[in-house]
Amino acid sequence: MCGIVGYIGEREVIPVLIEGLRRLEYRGYDSAGVVFFIDSRLELIKKKGRIFELEEEIFKRLPKGAKAPGLGHTRWATHGEPSEANAHPHTDCTKTLALVHNGIIENYQQLKKELKEKGHEFSSSTDTEVIAHLVEEHLKNKDNIKDAFFSAVSELKGAYAVCLISEKEPDKIFVARNQSPVVIGVGEGENFIASDIPALLPFTRRVMFLNDGEFAIVSREKVEVFDSKGNKIEREITEISWDIASAEKGGYPHFMLKEICEQPDAIKHTLLGRINLDTMEIDFEKEGLLKELFERVKKIFVVACGTSYHAGMVAKYLIEKDVGIPVEVDLASEFRYRSPLIDENTLFIAVSQSGETADTLAGLRLAKNKGAKILSICNVLGSTIARESDVVLYTQAGPEISVASTKAFTTQVIVFILLSLYLRRLFFNEDVSQKIKTLLDAPTKLQSFIERVRPDINEIAKRWYTVKNALYLGRNILYPIALEGALKLKEISYIHAEGYAAGEMKHGPIALIEENVPSVIVAAKETGIIYEKTLSNAEEVKSRRGPVIAVVSEGAEEFKRLADELIEVPLTSYELLPIFYVVPLQLLAYEIAALRGCDIDKPRNLAKSVTVE
Ligand code: F6R
């Protein structure tokens, strides 16, 4: 998730770009860059690190006579490590056009190969640079940038918001959008472009949105919008009333809620590029995960902390059930100080949003020393855990700012689902295409579920936010979800919450049941006999006068009868249950913490990245 800004007008271009970038820094910040004009030539300045480091670099170089149009970019690496070479803007071979991009170009490898064969020379390992060379290539038989840009963009597959400027037509910024956000800020004799509204608010509150597949040509005096076929269309101007702080959160009161609601998109991006839509096959090869890796694997260790550990627990259910390889899941802080039985037939999987968690890293190093192959599932490109692994599968969740992890968890689970389906195909030649279709449909289905369930959960939270204790119960693949639900509640609302395997309840925790201790029970009909067993546990709670908040499958009549509160979850596949059941628990924790007036995005005593033991 990167941030883009663009400006065309009479103002000093560099301060406008830097101001916009600063307001987009929350979208990611491993490198940044700007491009503008000096004496009709493009001038680029890029820097690894944060925006202030780019500013220092600009200050050192003191560019005189800098003029608009200009573009700026703050990068959150997806392809290619964070470095100056990989930072945007990117240029073509002639260095007369420059562009910035947010998103993932899925077919960039193919395009890059073709362009190299035609003699183009690349100077980065990004997917983005391909677009610049593709426009250059089209310019060989088109006499204007608009046609070359439109033709180049129509060859791209994937998600993109792209802005381009060129020496050939220095009075325009060319914009294209598909599945990545971009918004145009409309001024008087000047116009602005940004990935998100906060970057525009210091300059204008009048904006125009682009839809997927649309293009725009932005000059000082006007903004022209075109559909995917190049036909001109009218676009109305919207007046923005948000203040800057709420705009950064996309209008949400907290990053946590924003990130909960972003999960359908985060999942979509994690799936994108890993599924060949023609063959319905999962492809990890371009990420370096080759099938040979699994030839010798006799045992898998999944090691992680906190929420990432819960994703690891889900993996055990998925892989042992359908792939048949034993999976041991361990808390990293325990794993590193015991004597795990590891050899060269062991695959060690580290799961970490930040890629910097000290205990997980120590576990990884221990396993590596004992000869295990290391696979990591990380969200932050180029993080230490990622760098020290043999193979990395990145969750494409974008930066997670709220300390309480939400979209990182669901995307970690998605990577594990993909991995388990990949292994089923590899080992048993199983036809998993139907399962893959269900996965592809999941983001849309999750989106409408979130929209439907939010108001109900808000009402439920109003009735329970004053309790002091809560139990979370689940079985099988929903057991880790019960643990995760309890973790979310305790960390952001400071209510004592215990997650338990529902069947284990009668061995102790049942003593806690009383009128003021609600049990949040997760049960899915898709789990068959396990659903029945969880229902019996719910009855045990009820018969001791314990309130039940049931998070259960749509149409679960048995629970309607006994539950004090009912949250109905749409039916889905076994693999996707953790995704659909964790979301209402995230929302419940969030709404309760909000009613208690807690500092949701920065809970007391917690840090986003735990780099010490
Ligand atoms: C809980 C939470 C933490 C992290 C844990 C591991 O909401 O965020 O429990 O999951 O600190 O962090 P990563 O995944 O960065 O290794």
Side-chain angles (χ1 to χ4, degrees), residues 4-5 16 19-21 23-24 192-203 247:
I4 287 177
V5 290
V16 176
E19 178 70 25
L21 288 180
R23 293 178 188 281
L24 293 178
F192 306 81
I193 300 149
S195 302
D196 205 352
I197 291 166
L200 302 174
L201 291 185
F203 311 109

Side-chain angles (χ1 to χ4, degrees), residues 305-308 351-354 357 403-405 412 487-488 491 610:
C305 302
T307 290
S308 298
V351 191
S352 176
Q353 187 284 131
S354 61
T357 302
V403 165
S405 186
Q412 287 163 352
L487 177 61
K488 286 287 92 85
E491 69 180 326
V610 186

Side-chain angles (χ1 to χ4, degrees), residues 6-17 35-37 65-71 165 170-173 185-193 203 218-223:
Y7 175 66
I8 186 159
E10 285 298 335
R11 296 182 197 230
E12 270 192 57
V13 63
I14 294 175
V16 176
L17 298 179
V35 58
F36 44 83
F37 280 87
K67 286 222 162 26
L71 304 173
I165 56 176
D171 54 348
K172 298 182 189 98
I173 302 179
V186 182
E188 296 290 333
E190 60 179 356
N191 287 306
F192 306 81
I193 300 149
F203 311 109
V218 182
S219 54
R220 275 179 201 188
E221 300 301 335
K222 60 179 184 208
V223 177

Side-chain angles (χ1 to χ4, degrees), residues 492-526:
I492 61 167
S493 75
Y494 318 139
I495 293 174
H496 170 234
E498 292 230 29
Y500 245 85
E504 184 65 11
M505 189 188 54
K506 58 172 83 64
H507 301 285
I510 201 164
L512 296 172
I513 304 283
E514 56 173 37
E515 272 167 9
N516 291 332
V517 181
S519 293
V520 180
I521 298 183
V522 279
K525 285 201 158 197
E526 295 86 335

Side-chain angles (χ1 to χ4, degrees), residues 301-350:
F301 271 102
V302 184
V303 172
C305 302
T307 290
S308 298
Y309 169 72
H310 297 150
M313 288 178 73
V314 168
K316 180 177 174 73
Y317 288 93
L318 293 175
I319 296 174
E320 288 191 340
K321 176 172 165 292
D322 293 311
V323 185
I325 302 179
V327 180
E328 250 189 79
V329 192
D330 232 320
L331 290 165
S333 52
E334 286 299 313
F335 177 86
R336 62 181 293 193
Y337 291 117
R338 64 184 181 88
S339 307
L341 300 176
I342 295 175
D343 58 24
E344 51 288 350
N345 296 331
T346 306
L347 175 65
F348 177 95
I349 306 183

Side-chain angles (χ1 to χ4, degrees), residues 43-59:
E43 181 80 17
L44 269 88
I45 303 180
K46 311 204 266 188
K47 188 78 185 160
K48 184 177 168 192
R50 304 189 64 158
I51 307 294
F52 74 86
E53 292 168 77
L54 174 69
E55 267 183 277
E56 281 169 8
E57 184 65 26
I58 295 174
F59 189 70

